[in-house]
Amino acid sequence: MKTDFDLIIIGGGMVGASLARALSGCGLEVAVVEAWSLDSQEQPSYDDRAIALAYGTRQILQGIGVWDALRPDAEPIRHIHVSDRGHFGFTRLDHKDYGLEALGYVATGHALGSVLLKGLSELPSVHLFCPAQLSAFEVEEDNVSVKLSMDGEAHQLTARLLVAADGTRSMVRETLGIEVREWGYGQTALISNLTPGIEPSGVAYERFTDAGPMAMLPLTEGRYGMVWTLADEDVDRVMALSDEEFLSQVQQGFGSRLGIFQKAGRRSCYPLKLLQAKEHVRPRVALIGNAAHAVHPITGQGFNLGIRDVAVLADLLVDAAKEGADIGSMQVLETYADWRRRDQQAVALMTDGLVRMFTNPLLPVRVARNLGMLALDLAPSVKQMVTRQFMGLNGNLPRLSRGLPLE
């Protein structure tokens, strides 16, 4: 068993697996440590919830070699309709205004996980340790020593760089004592896949209702993926409803733009919070994805933000390796942190601001937000800037985000 690597990725979820694929064949030996077995139905990253994929994410997935396999299971978003249920404000986005075939796509976590994990351990220079648990690690001057538990046995690996892709409760981050800014919204996302009464036509909806924001994302097989943000105190009641009662509640909140909903899939819940690590790098350690940040799903930015971490870090690591530099040096890692800071802060501020604005019941706030949506709809230059941010196409883009290979 090989024990010495260039980098070790803790976490084989969507972000960790994407980084391993991005670096495969680029001259770096990569170890991926994943706690769940690949055939487990419990892996939280790979369940059946709808995952919004920004257009920039499509570029990155193309660059790491999985887009063609995912495309049959990725439904395009050609139009977006944002509105305040029962009020006058709305904003519309159309893919034709940006000269693109789609503003983004929607796939289930299961479909995305299938293409990311398929053949992962067979890729050049990628070594998968799964299922395996991180027991401890120690950062030394020239490397990182990692202790694992796998098949009831202890193993020790070393690398020049440790990448934490182990989620919001990151053991790596917590072991290092990296502080986080964190607060809960008092809200929970209720997830379900629904069959609408009319044929989907590539329109994604964000409806702000009295019960909470409700997103409807077009999926394959004529379905819509629903993300309904509820106050924590309402969740148990809604989860306990029969399918018929649940569909009636959804219909009442969303309206009839998709006809009469016919069927609801399994329901699941996820508490919502904003999390930002105060440091994204330490000597020989980098945080990516939810280990570094978690945002409200109001605009579907979670995975998109994480895979943009991947694109930047992979870009820098490949260049450093080509130049014979130390990929775990603070010079490389601080460049990564600086490059990602603006995008991460912009998305956190926008999503948090939208949540606070659209959950405020005061009449002046409601009037202001409806006027704001109308103003945005009538201001093409501002709308384009905001849209490109959420599409992952603003700022200094790494090669993968521009559709260019790393080599």
Side-chain angles (χ1 to χ4, degrees):
M1 180 183 294
K2 181 176 175 59
T3 60
D4 186 47
F5 302 92
D6 291 301
L7 72 154
I8 299 170
I9 302 169
I10 305 298
M14 291 187 288
V15 172
S18 296
L19 179 60
R21 284 194 170 272
L23 295 175
S24 172
C26 293
L28 294 168
E29 294 288 334
V30 180
V32 180
V33 178
E34 169 55 36
W36 298 94
S37 63
L38 297 187
D39 58 356
S40 172
Q41 299 302 308
E42 303 301 320
Q43 219 293 9
S45 289
Y46 300 135
D47 59 16
D48 206 37
R49 82 183 89 172
I51 306 294
L53 307 173
Y55 189 83
T57 296
R58 173 235 165 109
Q59 298 276 75
I60 297 169
L61 293 173
Q62 183 91 48
I64 67 176
V66 299
W67 175 250
D68 289 343
L70 179 63
R71 187 165 192 158
D73 295 311
E75 189 72 9
I77 298 174
R78 295 192 172 92
H79 312 275
I80 297 175
H81 189 277
V82 184
S83 60
D84 197 356
R85 172 90 167 123
H87 301 275
F88 61 86
F90 66 89
T91 293
R92 299 160 298 181
L93 305 176
D94 190 313
H95 69 110
K96 295 177 183 177
D97 294 337
Y98 304 90
L100 300 172
E101 69 167 36
L103 295 166
Y105 302 83
V106 186
T108 64
H110 177 74
L112 185 55
S114 295
V115 300
L116 287 171
L117 292 179
K118 185 177 181 180
L120 182 65
S121 61
E122 300 166 9
L123 293 176
S125 304
V126 174
H127 306 263
L128 184 61
F129 295 82
C130 176
Q133 297 281 348
L134 173 65
S135 302
F137 66 93
E138 184 176 350
V139 178
E140 300 171 356
E141 184 177 349
D142 297 324
N143 62 29
V144 181
S145 177
V146 173
K147 293 181 180 179
L148 306 178
S149 174
M150 187 171 70
D151 297 328
E153 298 181 358
H155 300 273
Q156 184 162 321
L157 313 179
T158 58
R160 290 185 287 161
L161 175 64
L162 180 66
V163 178
D166 51 346
T168 54
R169 296 270 68 90
S170 169
M171 178 182 172
V172 175
R173 188 191 68 229
E174 292 177 355
T175 299
L176 290 171
I178 295 176
E179 296 181 1
V180 297
R181 299 181 184 92
E182 179 179 7
W183 56 88
Y185 288 105
Q187 298 175 336
T188 295
L190 191 152
I191 312 293
S192 184
N193 293 338
L194 310 177
T195 300
I198 63 174
E199 189 72 21
S201 56
V203 183
Y205 297 91
E206 185 81 59
R207 299 276 272 169
F208 296 98
T209 76
D210 291 338
M214 183 183 290
M216 291 286 182
L217 305 173
L219 281 168
T220 57
E221 301 175 6
R223 301 169 297 161
Y224 263 81
M226 183 194 73
V227 183
W228 188 5
T229 301
L230 295 171
D232 289 344
E233 58 267 25
D234 294 332
V235 174
D236 289 343
R237 175 186 60 82
V238 176
M239 288 293 287
L241 296 174
S242 67
D243 282 355
E244 292 75 14
E245 292 168 331
F246 174 66
L247 286 173
S248 176
Q249 290 275 296
V250 172
Q251 196 80 59
Q252 182 179 344
F254 182 77
S256 58
R257 287 183 178 274
L258 289 172
I260 304 301
F261 290 106
Q262 305 295 308
K263 183 179 178 182
R266 183 174 65 89
R267 283 168 257 170
S268 55
C269 293
Y270 303 89
L272 301 178
K273 62 184 176 183
L274 177 67
L275 181 147
Q276 294 175 294
K278 293 185 179 180
E279 302 169 78
H280 289 184
V281 296
R282 282 279 184 90
R284 305 212 167 273
V285 179
L287 310 185
I288 63 174
N290 285 350
H293 44 71
V295 296
H296 195 286
I298 194 167
T299 56
Q301 288 298 300
F303 174 61
N304 298 297
L305 200 58
I307 202 169
R308 295 203 289 269
D309 294 346
V310 167
V312 168
L313 184 59
D315 199 291
L316 293 169
L317 295 181
V318 168
D319 280 353
K322 286 180 180 178
E323 296 166 3
D326 181 354
I327 65 168
S329 70
M330 285 305 294
Q331 180 180 357
V332 172
L333 298 182
E334 285 173 349
T335 302
Y336 157 71
D338 291 343
W339 193 342
R340 291 298 299 134
R341 186 171 293 113
R342 183 174 181 179
D343 182 31
Q344 292 166 352
Q345 290 179 346
V347 170
L349 285 171
M350 283 194 283
T351 55
D352 186 62
L354 287 171
V355 172
R356 296 178 188 278
M357 182 186 301
F358 282 95
T359 54
N360 191 317
L362 295 177
L363 179 61
V365 177
R366 173 163 279 176
V367 171
R369 73 195 186 208
N370 279 269
L371 289 172
M373 281 193 286
L374 286 176
L376 182 63
D377 196 60
L378 297 172
S381 60
V382 177
K383 183 161 65 171
Q384 184 175 65
M385 180 184 68
V386 173
T387 303
R388 285 183 64 84
Q389 174 65 43
F390 284 127
M391 291 170 71
L393 299 178
N394 274 351
N396 179 21
L397 300 179
R399 283 167 288 186
L400 289 175
S401 295
R402 289 180 281 140
L404 301 175
L406 286 175
E407 290 191 296

